[in-house]
Amino acid sequence: EKQKEGFLLCVCSKNNEADVKEAFDKKQFPLKWTDFTSKKINWNDKVINIQNIARDLNIGTDSLIFIDDNLFELNSVSEILKGVACFHFTDNYTDFLSMTNSFFFRRKLILDADREKAKQYETEELRKSEEAAYENLDDFIKSLNIKMDIRLNDIKDIERLAQMTGKTNQFNFNKHEYTPDELTEFIKNKNRIYSLKVSDKYGDYGTVGLISIEIDGNNAIIDNYLMSCRALGKGIEEKFYNEILGELAKDNLQLKEIRFTKTEKNSPAQQFLQQRKTEIKY
């Protein structure tokens, strides 16, 4: 049920992978081997495996929930990886209900994009497999046939855009969460929200980017720029940014300011801005 809501299921197990795979093949589990986006099944420390799972998914460990029946493992993870939410799995059904009712498992809003998340990560694994066959990253990116669909003030997608302001951490100029109503009001005040949908030969990434522009006469201020982590590293963030600067110039709007607030997690966004070598104040 959580997977249908957009949670990604992963395995972190001290075991022989072949034995675990055999169990899934022979037994009638409600979950199948293919339901798990990342699998770390070995004899390594679980702290290391959890860090590797986060790396696989390109997210912070504070986005992870760790469930285990071994208190030693739980204590180890909670002590070393402070942001991980840890739950003790017991044979007590009351404990189980208490765990599943925790706010860690609740979503404010479940969108179609959430339900597609596991499939999107599965597709991303195909991209990574193909990338390994290329010696040159540029050649690999060209082979993807990436298509970008930039939209202006797409009210129909406003719930997804608002959701991104709350969920995106690494590539986010300003970590300020907006509601759909607040974004709608921003647009009504003659400001602009450019959104980005991306697809390639493997499939659809969905809506992955947002640049909000505050308009003041002939001046433009980038209020925020954010990009989903799964779209990063393919040149998409640079092209989207440059396209929007081109749109502003076409409309005789001069970029006067870029708002940026440093957080513990958004160093990729800061590096992107510094690499632009812009003289714009931020």
Side-chain angles (χ1 to χ4, degrees):
E1 291 304 312
K2 293 294 107 181
Q3 186 185 46
K4 291 175 185 176
E5 295 176 9
F7 285 80
L8 299 173
L9 308 182
C10 305
V11 178
C12 178
S13 175
K14 285 185 177 176
N15 218 313
N16 295 317
E17 183 168 345
D19 295 339
V20 177
K21 178 68 165 58
E22 183 182 15
F24 274 93
D25 291 340
K26 291 185 175 180
K27 297 179 182 293
Q28 296 299 312
F29 294 144
L31 291 165
K32 306 303 177 189
W33 179 257
T34 53
D35 286 325
F36 295 90
T37 302
S38 178
K39 308 177 189 75
K40 301 301 175 191
I41 304 169
N42 49 48
W43 297 101
N44 294 338
D45 191 283
K46 288 197 176 183
V47 168
I48 294 172
N49 280 337
I50 288 173
Q51 290 172 322
N52 288 334
I53 286 171
R55 196 171 295 115
D56 282 353
L57 304 180
N58 200 17
I59 60 175
T61 54
D62 59 348
S63 295
L64 297 176
I65 300 169
F66 176 51
I67 305 169
D68 204 292
D69 62 354
N70 187 313
L71 284 172
F72 170 81
E73 301 290 0
L74 288 165
N75 290 332
S76 175
V77 170
S78 64
E79 282 296 317
I80 299 171
L81 303 177
K82 300 294 185 182
V84 177
C86 295
F87 288 92
H88 186 206
F89 190 89
T90 72
D91 58 2
N92 186 309
Y93 189 60
T94 302
D95 291 345
F96 176 75
L97 290 179
S98 176
M99 178 182 73
T100 56
N101 287 330
S102 164
F103 77 91
F104 285 102
F105 291 97
R106 296 178 188 170
R107 304 295 293 266
K108 292 179 183 176
L109 185 67
I110 302 169
L111 304 177
D112 289 341
D114 298 311
R115 298 185 179 95
E116 291 292 317
K117 188 175 290 184
K119 184 178 179 181
Q120 288 169 342
Y121 272 92
E122 183 180 330
T123 305
E124 185 62 23
E125 283 303 307
L126 294 176
R127 294 186 186 99
K128 288 179 181 178
S129 296
E130 181 171 331
E131 182 181 357
Y134 283 81
E135 294 183 4
N136 186 290
L137 179 61
D138 290 337
D139 290 342
F140 164 68
I141 291 173
K142 286 177 185 176
S143 77
L144 291 175
N145 298 322
I146 294 171
K147 292 181 173 58
M148 296 172 53
D149 178 10
I150 298 173
R151 302 187 180 189
L152 173 61
N153 297 338
D154 188 2
I155 294 295
K156 291 181 180 177
D157 205 22
I158 204 74
E159 288 186 337
R160 167 59 181 162
L161 296 175
Q163 183 190 61
M164 287 178 63
T165 66
K167 292 177 63 176
T168 308
N169 293 311
Q170 296 180 55
F171 197 98
N172 192 332
F173 281 15
N174 290 290
K175 184 61 178 177
H176 179 89
E177 184 172 357
Y178 287 91
T179 66
D181 287 344
E182 287 171 335
L183 290 184
T184 301
E185 187 66 23
F186 183 83
I187 293 169
K188 284 182 179 178
N189 289 331
K190 298 184 179 179
N191 299 307
R192 302 183 179 189
I193 294 179
Y194 290 96
S195 55
L196 175 67
K197 293 178 180 289
V198 174
S199 62
D200 64 19
K201 68 179 182 180
Y202 283 108
D204 191 356
Y205 293 68
T207 302
V208 294
L210 177 157
I211 296 179
S212 55
I213 309 286
E214 190 176 301
I215 306 297
D216 180 15
N218 291 325
N219 295 327
I221 299 167
I222 293 183
D223 181 62
N224 200 8
Y225 179 21
L226 58 86
M227 180 79 70
S228 174
C229 60
R230 68 175 180 273
L232 298 176
K234 303 179 180 72
I236 295 170
E237 58 269 33
E238 289 91 349
K239 190 170 183 181
F240 182 37
Y241 181 82
N242 292 335
E243 289 282 339
I244 299 313
L245 292 187
E247 287 295 313
L248 296 178
K250 193 189 304 180
D251 294 336
N252 295 316
L253 291 168
Q254 185 166 0
L255 182 60
K256 285 291 188 183
E257 183 182 349
I258 299 172
R259 291 177 181 150
F260 183 89
T261 305
K262 182 80 176 86
T263 70
E264 292 181 359
K265 302 176 183 178
N266 71 347
S267 57
Q270 185 178 34
Q271 290 169 13
F272 172 87
L273 196 52
Q274 290 171 340
Q275 287 167 1
R276 304 283 74 74
K277 295 180 181 177
T278 176
E279 295 179 359
I280 299 297
K281 180 179 68 175
Y282 73 91

